[in-house]
C-alpha cells in the first residue's frame, strides 16, 4: 500500500515552525515555481506540539497543513517522536540512553531515547494518537511518517531487562541459550536469565563494539535492538490505525545501515522509504545498490526517496558540492531503481544549529536565481512531464543478490580470519560487476523466493540459516548458477561454526573442501594469473571435490591451488571465489556467470553508462539510460521506443547520444510481463 499520486511526488522536509509567517508566503511562491507538490512536516516538532506533559498545542501544525491544502500541496506528516522535548528528559530521566561505556546521558542531540522506556512509549504513542485523531481526514494528508531515521543502541537497566525477556521468548530454556552461545567456553554457563548482561565495554567487549568475546551474545543484542526499536514504531502505527485505517504509514530508512536489520522491519511498513546520502566520490553503483536493497524490502515494490541533498551535506568532515547535472542524474537513478517519489532535505536552510550549512532548495537569502534552485525547478518540470509513466513500475530482474544483516554482523564481529574484510565492500564488488555488465539485479533477503532467478550471487554469505542451502541447490538443479565467495557457509544462525567441512552446507553445491586459510595485510597482493588479477586479505586453500579450477593462486606454498572454481550441479553450476579479488577479477568472473544465461546487456561495454529496466503497470518496458561520464555517450537504439524525457521517438538501429550526465527513459512499444506484474495496486484511494 503506497500513497496514490498522478505523478512522482516532489518536494521534501519543510520546517515552517522555524520561521515567521512572511517566510511561509515566500516559500510557497518558490515551491510553485519549482514544481514542489509534497512536503514532509513535523519531523522534529514534539517540543512545539507538546510543550508540557499535560499540554498539547497543534496551532502551528494546523496552519502548516491548512496552508499546504490551500496551495494544492500534499503532506507527509511525521509524528515528531525522534527527538525528546527537554521537559520529558527532565521529568523521566530513564528515557535518556545509556551508552556502550555505561554512561547515562543527559538531555541533548536527537535519537536520544531509550526504546525500552515505558515513559517514552507511553508519551510517544499518545502524541501519535493525538495527531492521527486530529489530521486523519485532512485534505493535505498523503502519508504518515513515524519517527525519523531510527538508530542508536541503549545499554541501561531497562534494556537489560527487556533483553532478558527477549531471550526468554527466543530460547525458552537456558540449556538452549547456553548451547547457542557456546557458554562452556570461558566459564560462562548461565544458571539464570537474570545473570545475563548486555554486551558492552563493561562486559564482553574490548576495543569497541566489534571486539567481543562471545559473538552469539553480541549478535543477539543487535537483533534485540532491531526488535526494540521496531516495537516503538509498531506502537505508534497501531494507535494511528485506530483513527486512520487507510493512509499509508512508513519511516525513513538509511540504506545500507548496519545497526538495524531492515528485513525484520519490512513486513510492517506500508511502503519503504529511505534517505540517500552516498559519498559523492563513490561509484554510481554504491547508491544503486542501496536503492535496490530498499526495493527488495517489499518484494520489488517501489519505494520513496524520502531525502537527498540538492547540493551538499554538512555532517561530514569534508562536504563536496554536487556539480551541475549531478542532482538530476542522481534523481533519475533513484527512479530507475524503483523510486516513486523524489524528496529533499531540506526545503529551506536552517538559520542556526548543526544543519545551517546543509544544502537546501531555498538558501538563507530566499532567492530563486541560484544554480541549485534553478536545477531543482528544471527537474520538477521534467518530472511533471513524466507524469505517472513510472509509478508502480517493477524491475524484471533475473539476477538476485543476497543481502543478509546477520552475515554482516557476524562477519565483522568475528575474531579471524581478517578484520580487514568489510561486508559492504565485498557485496558491492559483485553487485557492481553485475550492474556494469548490464544485468538488472534484485537485492533480496535470505528468505526470498529464488525461483524467478537464473543467477544468484551470494558474496560473503557468512551465515547460512534455515533451508537456504537447499534452496540454492534447487536454483542450480533447474539450470541456474549460484556464486558464493570466501568466508561463506562458515556459521549457523547462532554464529557457531559448522561441524563439517568448509563451506559448510554450501560444500555439496560448490564441490569443494577447505581445511585452511591464509590472511595477509592489506598491501599484500596474491597474483591470480588466469585472470591477470590479484586477490587480497583472505586466501582459502581449496581442495576440489568435483569442482574444476577456473583460476589459481600464483605464489606461496599453495601456488597452483584453485582461487576460483566451477562445479556442475544438476543442470546448473556452483561457482566459488576463495579470495577477495580486485574489481577487474570480480568483473571477469561475474560476466562468465551472466553470459551463461545471456544476461550481458547490449550497452555493457560503454564505460560510465548505467542501464536499468522497469515494467510499467500497463506492461510496457521502460529502459533507463544514465550517463555517469563527463563525456557524451554514443549509443545505438535496440528497439522502437519513445524517450519520455525528450519526447522524441526512436527506432531500432537509430543512433542516440547522451550528453555528459545525461538521461534517457525509453518506453518500448511491446508489452512484457514481469514476474511481479500480478501484484495488486493497493495505493490509497
Amino acid at each position: 500500500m503506497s500513497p496514490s499520486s498522478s505523478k512522482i511526488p516532489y518536494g521534501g522536509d519543510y520546517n515552517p515552525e522555524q520561521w515567521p509567517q512572511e517566510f511561509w508566503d515566500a516559500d510557497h511562491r518558490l515551491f510553485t515555481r519549482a514544481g514542489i507538490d509534497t512536503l514532509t512536516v513535523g519531523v522534529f516538532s514534539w517540543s512545539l506540539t507538546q510543550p508540557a506533559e499535560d499540554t498539547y498545542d497543534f496551532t502551528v501544525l494546523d496552519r502548516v497543513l491548512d496552508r499546504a491544502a490551500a496551495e494544492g500541496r500534499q503532506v507527509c506528516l511525521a509524528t515528531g517522536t525522534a527527538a525528546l522535548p527537554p521537559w520529558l528528559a527532565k521529568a523521566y530521566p530513564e528515557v535518556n540512553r545509556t551508552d556502550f561505556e555505561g554512561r547515562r546521558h543527559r538531555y541533548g542531540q536527537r535519537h536520544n531515547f531509550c526504546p525500552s522506556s515505558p515513559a517514552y512509549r507511553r508519551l510517544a504513542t499518545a502524541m501519535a494518537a493525538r495527531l492521527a485523531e486530529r489530521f486523519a481526514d485532512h485534505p493535505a494528508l498523503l502519508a504518515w511518517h513515524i519517527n525519523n531515521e531510527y538508530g542508536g543502541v541503549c545499554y541501561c537497566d531497562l534494556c537489560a531487562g527487556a533483553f532478558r525477556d527477549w531471550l526468554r521468548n527466543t530460547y525458552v530454556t537456558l540449556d538452549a541459550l547456553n548451547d547457542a552461545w557456546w557458554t562452556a567456553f570461558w566459564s560462562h554457563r548461565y544458571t539464570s536469565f537474570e545473570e545475563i548482561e548486555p554486551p558492552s565495554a563493561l562486559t564482553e567487549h574490548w576495543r569497541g563494539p566489534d571486539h567481543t568475546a562471545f559473538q552469539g551474545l553480541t549478535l543477539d543484542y543487535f537483533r534485540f535492538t532491531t526488535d526494540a526499536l521496531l516495537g516503538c514504531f509498531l506502537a505508534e502505527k497501531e494507535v494511528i490505525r485506530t483513527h486512520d485505517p487507510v493512509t499509508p504509514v512508513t519511516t525513513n530508512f538509511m540504506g545500507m545501515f548496519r545497526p538495524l536489520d531492515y528485513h525484520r522491519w519490512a513486513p510492517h511498513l506500508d511502503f519503504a522509504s529511505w534517505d540517500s546520502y552516498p559519498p559523492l566520490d563513490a561509484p554510481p553503483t554504491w547508491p544503486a545498490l542501496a536503492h535496490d536493497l530498499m526495493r527488495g524490502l517489499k518484494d520489488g515494490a517501489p519505494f520513496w526517496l524520502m531525502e537527498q541533498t540538492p547540493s551538499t551535506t554538512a555532517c561530514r568532515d569534508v562536504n563536496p558540492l554536487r556539480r551541475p547535472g549531478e542532482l538530476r542524474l542522481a534523481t533519475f537513478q533513484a527512479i530507475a531503481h524503483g523510486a516513486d517519489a523524489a524528496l529533499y532535505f531540506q526545503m529551506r536552510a536552517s538559520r542556526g544549529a548543526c544543519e545551517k550549512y546543509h544544502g537546501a532548495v531555498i538558501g538563507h537569502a530566499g532567492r530563486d536565481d541560484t544554480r541549485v534552485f534553478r536545477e531543482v525547478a528544471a527537474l520538477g518540470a521534467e518530472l511533471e512531464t513524466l507524469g505517472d509513466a513510472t509509478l508502480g513500475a517493477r524491475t524484471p530482474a533475473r539476477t538476485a543478490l543476497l543481502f543478509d544483516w546477520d552475515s554482516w554482523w557476524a562477519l565483522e564481529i568475528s575474531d579471524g580470519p581478517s578484520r580487514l574484510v568489510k561486508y559492504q565492500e565485498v557485496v558491492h564488488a559483485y553487485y557492481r560487476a553485475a550492474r556494469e555488465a548490464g544485468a538488472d539485479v534484485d537485492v533480496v533477503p535470505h528468505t526470498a523466493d529464488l525461483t524467478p532467478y537464473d543467477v544468484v550471487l551470494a558474496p560473503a554469505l557468512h551465515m547460512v540459516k534455515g533451508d537456504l542451502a537447499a534452496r540454492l541447490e534447487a536454483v542450480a538443479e533447474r539450470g541456474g548458477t549460484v556464486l558464493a565467495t570466501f568466508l561463506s557457509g562458515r556459521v549457523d544462525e547462532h554464529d557457531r561454526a559448522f561441524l563439517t567441512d568448509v563451506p559448510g552446507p554450501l560444500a555439496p553445491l560448490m564441490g569443494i573442501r577447505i581445511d585452511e586459510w591464509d590472511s595477509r595485510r592489506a598491501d599484500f597482493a596474491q597474483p591470480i594469473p588466469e585472470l591477470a588479477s590479484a586477490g587480497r586479505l583472505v586466501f582459502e586453500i581449496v581442495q576440489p571435490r568435483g569442482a574444476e579450477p577456473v583460476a589459481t593462486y600464483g605464489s606461496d606454498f599453495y601456488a597452483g591451488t584453485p582461487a576460483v572454481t566451477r562445479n556442475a550441479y544438476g543442470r546448473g553450476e556452483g561457482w566459488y571465489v576463495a579470495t577477495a579479488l580486485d574489481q577487474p577479477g570480480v568483473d571477469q568472473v561475474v560476466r562468465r556467470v551472466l553470459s551463461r544465461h545471456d544476461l550481458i546487456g547490449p550497452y555493457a561495454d560503454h564505460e560510465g553508462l548505467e542501464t536499468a529496466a522497469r515494467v510499467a503497470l500497463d506492461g510496457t518496458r521502460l529502459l533507463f539510460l544514465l550517463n555517469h561520464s563527463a563525456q557524451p555517450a554514443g549509443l545505438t537504439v535496440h528497439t522502437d521506443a519513445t524517450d519520455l524525457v525528450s519526447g522524441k521517438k526512436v527506432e531500432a538501429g537509430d543512433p542516440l547520444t547522451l550528453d555528459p550526465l545525461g538521461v534517457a527513459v525509453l518506453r518500448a512499444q511491446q508489452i512484457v510481463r514481469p514476474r511481479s506484474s500480478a501484484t495488486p495496486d493497493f495505493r490509497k484511494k
Side-chain angles (χ1 to χ4, degrees), residues 184-516:
F185 182 78
W186 281 5
S187 188
H188 265 55
R189 185 168 184 83
Y190 295 103
T191 57
S192 167
F193 280 100
E194 297 305 313
E195 297 168 354
I196 299 170
E197 298 287 346
S200 71
L202 302 180
T203 59
E204 302 296 349
H205 283 256
W206 72 97
R207 283 182 15 212
D210 286 345
H211 294 75
T212 175
F214 279 81
Q215 283 80 30
L217 169 57
T218 296
L219 183 67
D220 273 343
Y221 205 73
F222 291 160
R223 291 164 171 161
F224 158 74
T225 296
T226 287
D227 288 350
L229 288 169
L230 174 59
C232 295
F233 170 86
L234 290 174
E236 292 192 42
K237 182 179 179 181
E238 181 180 0
V239 296
I240 287 173
R241 281 285 172 255
T242 300
H243 301 282
D244 184 351
V246 295
T247 304
V249 176
T250 192
T251 189
N252 48 337
F253 288 158
M254 291 178 281
M256 292 183 286
F257 180 62
R258 198 183 87 155
L260 297 185
D261 181 349
Y262 289 150
H263 288 136
R264 297 169 81 102
W265 285 61
H268 307 290
L269 273 65
D270 293 328
F271 65 101
S273 66
W274 83 287
D275 302 344
S276 179
Y277 296 103
L280 295 189
D281 58 353
T285 46
W286 191 269
L289 170 56
H291 289 315
D292 285 348
L293 175 62
M294 296 297 99
R295 190 184 72 245
L297 293 178
K298 301 292 290 182
D299 193 30
F303 59 90
W304 271 30
L305 178 60
M306 187 66 79
E307 291 183 23
Q308 65 170 334
T309 178
S311 55
T312 182
T313 56
C315 58
R316 296 162 177 155
D317 291 342
V318 177
N319 298 277
L321 179 67
R322 277 183 159 161
R323 270 48 185 171
E326 289 182 350
L327 170 62
R328 176 177 183 261
L329 183 61
T331 302
F332 270 102
Q333 182 189 47
I335 296 168
H337 287 265
D340 265 7
L343 308 180
Y344 298 109
F345 181 87
Q346 50 192 329
M347 298 309 300
R348 176 181 276 276
S350 173
R351 188 176 186 185
C354 62
E355 290 178 338
K356 64 180 178 292
Y357 293 134
H358 195 289
V361 174
I362 303 169
H364 294 125
R367 303 182 66 89
D368 65 355
D369 59 355
T370 64
R371 177 183 67 85
V372 171
F373 185 88
R374 290 197 302 266
E375 287 198 16
V376 168
L379 181 55
E382 283 190 303
L383 297 183
E384 184 76 36
T385 301
L386 204 61
D388 66 353
T390 64
L391 296 180
R394 296 283 183 131
T395 298
R398 292 164 54 198
T399 300
L401 182 140
L402 297 183
F403 192 101
D404 182 49
W405 263 270
D406 279 338
S407 287
W408 189 354
W409 292 333
L411 177 64
E412 294 189 3
I413 63 174
S414 176
D415 279 343
S418 172
R419 288 195 176 274
L420 301 181
V421 176
K422 301 302 179 186
Y423 179 78
Q424 279 180 293
E425 294 175 3
V426 179
V427 169
H428 173 253
Y430 285 84
Y431 174 87
R432 177 177 183 172
R435 273 292 185 185
E436 291 184 348
D440 287 306
V441 180
D442 282 347
V443 180
V444 300
H446 80 281
T447 54
D449 177 12
L450 301 178
T451 56
Y453 302 108
D454 298 320
V455 172
V456 177
L457 305 175
L461 186 65
H462 194 63
M463 182 178 292
V464 178
K465 297 168 284 189
D467 64 347
L468 177 58
R471 291 187 293 112
L472 291 172
E473 290 174 357
V475 172
E477 282 278 7
R478 59 174 169 77
T481 302
V482 177
L483 181 149
T485 74
F486 63 103
L487 298 180
S488 291
R490 292 301 190 101
V491 298
D492 66 10
E493 65 186 282
H494 303 299
D495 205 21
R496 301 174 302 188
F498 289 113
L499 299 180
T500 185
D501 294 327
V502 174
L506 304 180
L509 172 57
M510 297 300 146
I512 59 172
R513 167 183 154 191
I514 297 167
D515 295 340
E516 299 177 278

Side-chain angles (χ1 to χ4, degrees), residues 82-110:
L84 304 172
W87 63 261
L88 196 160
K90 188 72 173 177
Y92 301 96
E94 70 274 13
V95 304
N96 297 303
R97 286 180 178 170
T98 296
D99 66 21
F100 183 71
E101 284 75 28
R103 299 169 298 187
R104 169 81 73 182
H105 284 211
R106 299 174 73 88
Y107 178 76
Q109 299 188 45
R110 65 171 190 169

Side-chain angles (χ1 to χ4, degrees), residues 123-146:
L123 291 161
T125 54
M127 172 57 70
R130 293 274 188 139
L131 288 166
E133 183 179 24
R134 190 176 192 90
F135 296 111
D137 296 320
H138 198 282
L141 182 64
L142 178 66
W144 289 102
H145 180 311
I146 292 177

